[in-house]
Amino acid sequence: MNVRKLDRVIPSVAASDGAGVKLRRSLGSNPHARHDPFLMLDEFYSDDPDDYLAGFPSHPHRGFETVTYMLDGHMRHEDSGGNRGDLGPGDVQWMTAARGLVHSEMPQQTEGRMRGFQLWLNLPAREKMKPAAYCDIPAAKIPVADAGEGVRVKVIAGALAQDGKETKGPIEGLSTDPRFFDVHLASKAVFEAPVPAGHNAFLYAYEGETFVGMERQKLAHRAAGLLAQGDTVRIEAGDGGARVLLLAGRPIREPVVQYGPFVMSTREEIEQAVRDYQAGAMTRDPVRRIRVA
Ligand code: CO
């Protein structure tokens, strides 16, 4: 067993996106703050409607996948393929923008807490121009694994293997083979699980105190902690317990050229994306809805 150490910390910075939604951006806060295949992680968290009411009106994407994970609040998404879905607490939307679409994500509440995450996951060059697709995954379809004393894990993508038991999340079979776990730890609880050697992995500590690896290195609150290579992830909570996202994926190892909501491999492909968007091509393509078993 080779337990992954904390290798590098990317603090989150205050940012604003959409029509002025206030959020914290860790991964993606600058072009050097990525962890292949992960491009960006935003946390939105506010009790003040002024921070979120403006929402994310119509905007395009091409070349990667977006994952929205709601903790509190209610958001509605609509896309150029005529699809619409509602996300409530614990729900996930997994969208493969690929060739492109135009969508919006708007709050359906005028007060109370809005809290959740948006993750951007890259696609390999050969998949960037495949048709767009998405699925809404209700919280009830996301398995929760008992992962040792005082540890519960929501398995959103990939499989969690522990003590000969495997818990499979609703998202599987992507070429980046992602793991997306939301780990809830009681006071002083320890979570230890295998993560494929060769995958890039990181943690995002969003509640409580988190200590990483055998050395128990402290990970700052609301920061992304990139992990060194190894085959096992180990985290420990402080006195007050902790909640931590664990993300891991197979690196793509290709150039990343980003221009706003387009992420391609070359500058020419970005120019093509801008032309296609301006010509309305991204609003004409179908967006397939994937059923979750
Ligand atoms: Co979007």
Side-chain angles (χ1 to χ4, degrees):
M1 189 172 81
N2 180 5
V3 176
R4 290 176 183 244
K5 293 185 166 80
L6 186 59
D7 184 40
R8 179 184 163 204
V9 175
I10 299 175
S12 65
V13 296
S16 155
D17 209 334
V21 177
K22 290 200 179 131
L23 47 83
R24 306 284 309 183
R25 180 163 294 164
S26 48
L27 254 68
S29 52
N30 71 68
H32 306 288
R34 296 183 184 127
H35 199 39
D36 184 13
F38 301 101
L39 300 164
M40 190 188 87
L41 180 68
D42 284 347
E43 178 188 8
F44 43 93
Y45 175 27
S46 181
D47 297 310
D48 178 357
D50 288 342
D51 287 346
Y52 59 73
L53 274 181
F56 305 88
S58 282
H59 60 278
H61 292 289
R62 173 178 278 182
F64 60 103
E65 312 194 62
T66 70
V67 185
T68 305
Y69 175 34
M70 292 292 289
L71 295 179
D72 297 297
H74 179 189
M75 193 98 87
R76 174 170 297 160
H77 70 86
E78 293 182 77
D79 69 40
S80 46
N83 302 294
R84 168 199 270 218
D86 283 291
L87 295 183
D91 296 344
V92 169
Q93 188 205 25
W94 197 288
M95 186 179 84
T96 305
R99 188 161 73 203
L101 52 73
V102 175
H103 78 156
S104 63
E105 295 148 297
M106 299 301 289
Q108 301 298 304
Q109 65 193 61
T110 52
E111 55 179 21
R113 177 170 296 176
M114 173 72 80
R115 184 188 192 201
F117 300 95
Q118 184 162 99
L119 175 75
W120 286 13
L121 174 61
N122 206 5
L123 285 168
R126 66 178 185 280
E127 293 182 32
K128 284 181 180 291
M129 292 300 279
K130 69 182 184 182
Y134 85 99
C135 57
D136 284 327
I137 309 166
K141 292 203 171 168
I142 299 172
V144 180
D146 251 319
E149 204 179 319
V151 185
R152 286 160 59 79
V153 181
K154 293 185 69 172
V155 182
I156 295 166
L160 172 66
Q162 269 204 324
D163 307 325
K165 219 175 45 187
E166 195 177 57
T167 306
K168 281 187 176 178
I171 297 290
E172 278 199 295
L174 304 177
S175 54
T176 49
D177 189 31
R179 306 286 186 279
F180 186 164
F181 304 152
D182 182 9
V183 185
H184 299 198
L185 300 109
S187 174
K188 302 278 191 194
V190 174
F191 168 69
E192 198 174 274
V195 165
H199 272 39
N200 281 337
F202 74 99
L203 303 165
Y204 185 82
Y206 67 98
E207 272 186 24
E209 273 191 316
T210 305
F211 301 91
V212 182
M214 301 307 289
E215 300 79 10
R216 304 182 72 258
Q217 290 166 279
K218 188 173 173 179
L219 175 59
H221 185 52
R222 303 177 98 186
L226 312 194
L227 302 179
Q229 287 304 315
D231 56 19
T232 303
V233 171
R234 183 186 195 276
I235 50 179
E236 188 174 330
D239 288 334
R243 290 181 67 168
V244 184
L245 301 184
L246 165 57
L247 281 305
R250 185 183 290 139
I252 295 171
R253 303 188 203 286
E254 290 175 349
V256 174
V257 183
Q258 177 174 2
Y259 178 70
F262 308 133
V263 180
M264 303 301 288
S265 313
T266 67
R267 198 190 143 92
E268 291 68 33
E269 290 167 347
I270 289 291
E271 288 164 0
Q272 187 63 51
V274 172
R275 281 196 299 273
D276 287 350
Y277 173 56
Q278 286 169 347
M282 290 182 196
T283 58
R284 286 192 295 268
D285 281 338
V287 180
R288 193 164 58 93
R289 179 173 184 174
I290 303 164
R291 294 234 164 254
V292 181

